[in-house]
Every structure is written in structure tokens, then in C-alpha cells.
Amino acid sequence: PVTANGTGLTGLDPSQPVCYSTFWNWWKKTLERADVRFRKPHMARHTYATDVLDANDGNIYRAQELLGHESADTTKLYLHSSSLQKDLAVDALQKFRGRA
């Protein structure tokens, strides 16, 4: 299930099972190549979900689709209120109150 070249692991085939150590080797190499500090895979999923929410004006249904959840309630567990979303909420409130 693993693709490799002279420098190490380059990809995983999602249709094939992979052993624990192979996955972690792939994950560490992926983070190194992306120049990203270490994160657990689940943390990356939370970050991705929050970024999708920010990029789509808080549309939880787009995030739900991209994360592959059947229910929006499941997606809500992954979403965190980001600084951008907080700023947008305050701006909307000020506009609503006629202070913008």
C-alpha cells in the first residue's frame, strides 16, 4: 500500500490497510516535507475543519461534505470558533446595531 522513492515514503493507497508504524513514518515525512511542526493526525483534522469553515463563511454543510460526515452534528464536534469567525460575528453584531 505504500509508494516509495529514493528519499522515503511518498504516499499511501487509501484502499489498502497499512500497519501502524508505516502510517506514522508516512505522517512524519509528510509533515517534514510540508515544513509543519508535529501534529497528531486528529489535530490536523480539526485544523482542516476550522479552515474549511472560515473559507466558506461558516457553512457547516460544506465542511460536513468535505469531512465525509453523514450528520452535521458529527461535524460540529470538529469545528472550533476561530479568531476570524469571532471577528465576523462581532462585525455582524455591530452592523445589526447600526454601529458599523
Side-chain angles (χ1 to χ4, degrees), residues 2 14 17 24 29 31-33 45 48-49 53-54 66 74 80 82 94:
V2 178
W24 279 104
K29 289 282 187 188
L31 294 178
E32 288 172 13
R33 282 194 303 270
R45 190 166 171 86
Y48 177 75
L53 180 70
D54 286 347
L66 290 170
T74 304
H80 304 282
S82 68
Q94 288 178 334

Side-chain angles (χ1 to χ4, degrees), residues 41-63:
H42 196 73
M43 287 175 61
R45 190 166 171 86
H46 279 267
T47 301
Y48 177 75
T50 302
D51 287 350
V52 167
L53 180 70
D54 286 347
N56 290 282
D57 297 324
N59 187 325
I60 194 167
Y61 299 105
R62 287 188 183 139

Side-chain angles (χ1 to χ4, degrees), residues 27-39:
W27 181 250
K28 288 176 188 177
K29 289 282 187 188
T30 299
L31 294 178
E32 288 172 13
R33 282 194 303 270
D35 196 27
V36 174
R37 67 182 175 87
F38 179 78
R39 297 182 167 258

Side-chain angles (χ1 to χ4, degrees), residues 47-95:
T47 301
Y48 177 75
T50 302
D51 287 350
V52 167
L53 180 70
D54 286 347
N56 290 282
D57 297 324
N59 187 325
I60 194 167
Y61 299 105
R62 287 188 183 139
Q64 174 187 347
E65 183 178 350
L66 290 170
L67 292 167
H69 295 150
E70 289 185 22
S71 167
D73 289 336
T74 304
T75 306
K76 288 177 187 176
L77 299 173
Y78 283 87
L79 302 177
H80 304 282
S81 183
S82 68
S83 301
L84 175 63
Q85 291 301 316
K86 290 175 187 175
D87 291 345
L88 291 173
V90 169
D91 291 345
L93 179 60
Q94 288 178 334
K95 185 177 180 180

Side-chain angles (χ1 to χ4, degrees), residues 1-13 25-26 29-30 33:
V2 178
T3 312
N5 64 22
T7 60
L9 301 172
T10 59
L12 295 175
D13 179 352
N25 287 333
W26 171 81
K29 289 282 187 188
T30 299
R33 282 194 303 270

